[in-house]
Amino acid sequence: GGGCKHLQTGRFHADLDDVRPDGSYIYEELMDYVDAPEKIDQRRYRKRDRMRDAAYSAIPSLDMKGEIPHYDDDDDITYESDLLSRTDRKFYIVTTASLPWMTGTAVNPLLRAAYLARGRPKGSVTLVIPWLSNEEDRKQLYGKYDFKTPDDQEAHVRQWLREKAHMPEEADPQTGLQILWYDSRYHTIFKSIFSV
């Protein structure tokens, strides 16, 4: 396990597992309210275009005149969509991969959950990730890492968050991000983890 693809060159680096502590990130940070409407509008426009393009490529018989519907209140920050100022909400971020598998499905939800946990009461944000209950699955996917229990793997996840992502407060099990495990299996044919 491990490694990642360099965004600019497209080359895969098996030994690369650091997150840059400075400069820009591909990971989205929570935005300030001042810029929220403009940024949300730009993001929704791009999302609508991607959705339309995906639909046309998947179903060639569609003509290119169609548009993804747009509603006047699409961009409003509502009580339900407000993630910044409401610290009374609980969030469960569920994903199908976990470190040390250095895949976007493992890293992105971990970092998003950690950013969301900033400044919130303990227990507000829980990352729900798979525990490979079969030892052979763990050996095949994680290689050199020999986790015997979910607690062993959680220690690794928190160490990575603390040391590589430079997020020590969020990595603290007493005050930061909470982690919940579900039983799963790795399926070689699909190269994916499925819950059991």
Side-chain angles (χ1 to χ4, degrees):
C4 64
K5 195 173 191 179
H6 191 268
L7 289 175
Q8 291 176 333
T9 65
R11 292 190 195 114
F12 181 78
H13 301 277
D15 59 336
L16 187 60
D17 64 354
D18 278 344
V19 174
R20 275 191 295 157
D22 57 351
S24 63
Y25 292 88
I26 190 169
Y27 312 110
E28 175 185 8
E29 293 189 29
L30 298 174
M31 63 187 91
D32 293 331
Y33 274 113
V34 177
D35 299 331
E38 179 181 328
K39 289 183 181 181
I40 289 172
D41 187 50
Q42 292 170 359
R43 192 171 310 124
R44 284 185 188 270
Y45 177 75
R46 289 192 304 265
K47 181 178 181 183
R48 267 196 293 282
D49 286 347
R50 287 194 308 270
M51 289 170 56
R52 183 193 64 226
D53 293 345
Y56 289 129
S57 65
I59 308 169
S61 62
L62 287 176
D63 63 16
M64 291 297 284
K65 297 175 191 166
E67 285 292 321
I68 302 297
H70 178 74
Y71 302 98
D72 290 337
D73 62 350
D74 269 359
D75 302 330
D76 293 346
I77 296 175
T78 65
Y79 180 78
E80 292 80 11
S81 69
D82 184 2
L83 304 182
L84 296 176
S85 64
R86 295 191 47 218
T87 58
D88 61 324
R89 294 177 77 173
K90 291 192 180 286
F91 298 94
Y92 292 86
I93 299 168
V94 182
T95 188
T96 57
S98 176
L99 298 182
W101 195 13
M102 294 299 290
T103 179
T105 312
V107 176
N108 291 342
L110 172 60
L111 292 177
R112 286 180 181 268
Y115 277 115
L116 193 56
R118 284 187 171 170
R120 294 185 183 277
K122 178 186 175 185
S124 296
V125 180
T126 302
L127 180 65
V128 184
I129 50 182
W131 164 250
L132 294 173
S133 46
N134 183 296
E135 185 177 358
E136 290 304 313
D137 289 347
R138 292 193 303 274
K139 284 181 182 176
Q140 181 179 4
L141 191 59
Y142 302 146
K144 67 180 180 179
Y145 299 96
D146 185 26
F147 305 120
K148 300 293 185 201
T149 67
D151 290 339
D152 294 343
Q153 190 169 352
E154 182 172 334
H156 174 80
V157 170
R158 291 186 184 282
Q159 179 182 358
W160 185 90
L161 192 59
R162 183 175 41 258
E163 295 174 6
K164 301 289 187 179
H166 308 285
M167 301 179 83
E169 294 85 18
E170 294 79 6
D172 186 330
Q174 303 305 317
T175 58
L177 178 66
Q178 302 301 294
I179 296 178
L180 181 64
W181 298 89
Y182 63 89
D183 285 335
S184 60
R185 291 288 315 264
Y186 178 69
H187 293 273
T188 307
I189 293 171
F190 299 110
K191 298 195 182 319
S192 296
I193 295 175
F194 291 94
S195 64
V196 292

